[in-house]
Amino acid sequence: MTRFSVLTLDIEEGVATLRLDRPDKMNALNAQMRAEITQAVQEAGKAARVLVITGNGRAFCAGQDLSDAGNAASLDLERVLRDEYAPMLRAIWDCPIPTIAAVNGVAAGAGANLALAADVTIAAESAVFIQAFTRIGLMPDAGGTYWMPRQMGAAKAMGAALFAEPISARDASDWGMIWEAVPDMEFDTHWRARAAHLAQGPSEAYRNLKTALRATWQNGPDAQLDLEARLQGACGQTRDFQEGVVAFLDKRKASFEGR
Ligand code: T3D
């Protein structure tokens, strides 16, 4: 497995844990970190059954590394977004296994939107999400303008972007922006249990439901029904489906084998 310098990637019992590891910079994203996240996500997608992205230290991720941006006006942000952020976000969106963002602390700027790019976002109750961009004269990026209105609704998305105020994990959960907020004391145990659950689940069903739920934003009802039929047809051919039905009839827990 590749050795990384600004993150760690551990794979155990089907669970890949990618931990951003620049705690003195609140895990801010520099070019190295973006490249390593892209590579680590691709490796996890091939070698594991679920991927968890989390942070080392008190932050999840403070967004773009601003200490790289001394002479801000000379930065080519368009290039950085196209060449470095987009591949990283695409790697997460295209990941064939379920992805969890386990948000252990503040998630700001591109760090907040990195968290939203995962399939499921679980936050410690003390964590906050900040669309910090307008504080430094920018607009939300890193997929934020795509995910925010879809996950929290247009009104909350616009307010979050304009006011750049911290959104508590509890509000984020109540608004539908994330899956759940969990008391800090239970956070680690909880996301690990969630990850273990998905690692033991039916991989092809997960892969296909991700495809269908993504496609729904572009499709009309006919195209979506057609897609469901095709993908469910594929699920119906799996050993996992056979096992699921037999286990139900036997009144026991199904044992899915995955890929
Ligand atoms: O290519 C492009 O640039 C375009 C892409 C842009 C995408 C973006 O993400 S733009 C938004 C960038 N992020 C931010 O604006 C957030 C900046 N950080 C903060 O607002 C605050 O640090 C936090 C709200 C995240 C946390 O506040 P607090 O009070 O808990 O901690 P702190 O004291 O502000 O920060 C602790 C240390 O982390 C500090 O370093 P020091 O003084 O102890 O040596 C601080 O400088 C460092 N740090 C925090 N955020 C960043 C950072 N260092 C570099 N880059 C950061 N983003």
Side-chain angles (χ1 to χ4, degrees):
M1 196 188 301
T2 310
R3 288 187 67 82
F4 298 100
S5 60
V6 288
L7 58 81
T8 58
L9 179 67
D10 299 303
I11 302 182
E12 205 173 322
E13 296 185 0
V15 178
T17 305
L18 187 170
R19 200 176 284 275
L20 309 180
D21 193 22
R22 302 181 73 214
D24 53 323
K25 298 277 184 193
M26 302 198 88
N27 300 320
L29 297 158
N30 59 11
Q32 181 73 17
M33 174 97 75
R34 290 187 283 274
E36 290 193 8
I37 293 172
T38 307
Q39 189 174 349
V41 170
Q42 287 167 345
E43 283 189 18
K46 291 181 194 136
R49 294 181 64 175
V50 61
L51 166 66
V52 180
I53 302 175
T54 190
N56 187 15
R58 70 183 177 95
F60 174 73
C61 174
Q64 172 69 26
D65 188 336
L66 298 176
S67 55
D68 281 356
N71 183 1
S74 70
L75 292 176
D76 185 350
L77 303 192
E78 181 170 350
R79 186 204 65 73
V80 173
L81 288 168
R82 287 188 195 284
D83 295 352
E84 299 179 15
Y85 276 95
M88 175 184 79
L89 294 161
R90 279 242 66 106
I92 297 169
W93 293 346
D94 292 344
C95 192
I97 57 176
T99 57
I100 296 175
V103 180
N104 52 299
V106 61
N113 295 332
L114 177 66
L116 298 190
D119 296 322
V120 168
T121 305
I122 301 171
E125 264 179 356
S126 63
V128 291
F129 297 82
I130 315 175
Q131 293 293 329
F133 303 87
T134 56
R135 293 181 181 186
I136 57 166
L138 295 179
M139 57 168 274
D141 62 20
T145 60
Y146 185 82
W147 289 116
M148 277 201 295
R150 286 169 168 79
Q151 292 177 335
M152 60 212 254
K156 291 292 191 194
M158 188 62 87
L162 288 172
F163 295 120
E165 288 174 359
I167 298 166
S168 70
R170 183 58 54 201
D171 279 349
S173 174
D174 291 347
W175 298 352
M177 186 179 123
I178 66 168
W179 168 242
E180 61 190 346
V182 179
D184 287 19
M185 291 289 285
E186 297 160 28
F187 176 69
D188 274 338
T189 315
H190 187 85
W191 69 252
R192 286 179 205 282
R194 289 285 196 200
H197 175 91
L198 292 175
Q200 289 158 20
S203 306
E204 183 149 348
Y206 291 156
R207 193 162 49 247
N208 289 354
L209 75 83
K210 283 176 53 154
T211 301
L213 285 172
R214 295 271 161 75
T216 197
W217 301 112
Q218 282 82 43
N219 281 344
D222 289 341
Q224 194 66 17
L225 289 174
D226 184 61
L227 181 65
E228 281 184 0
R230 182 165 65 74
L231 294 173
Q232 191 71 299
C235 290
Q237 300 297 311
T238 61
R239 180 210 164 267
D240 282 347
F241 173 54
Q242 289 299 313
E243 163 62 7
V245 173
V246 170
F248 173 77
L249 296 174
D250 289 350
K251 300 189 186 303
R252 62 173 170 79
K253 187 172 180 290
S255 172
F256 297 116
E257 68 180 10
R259 286 179 288 173

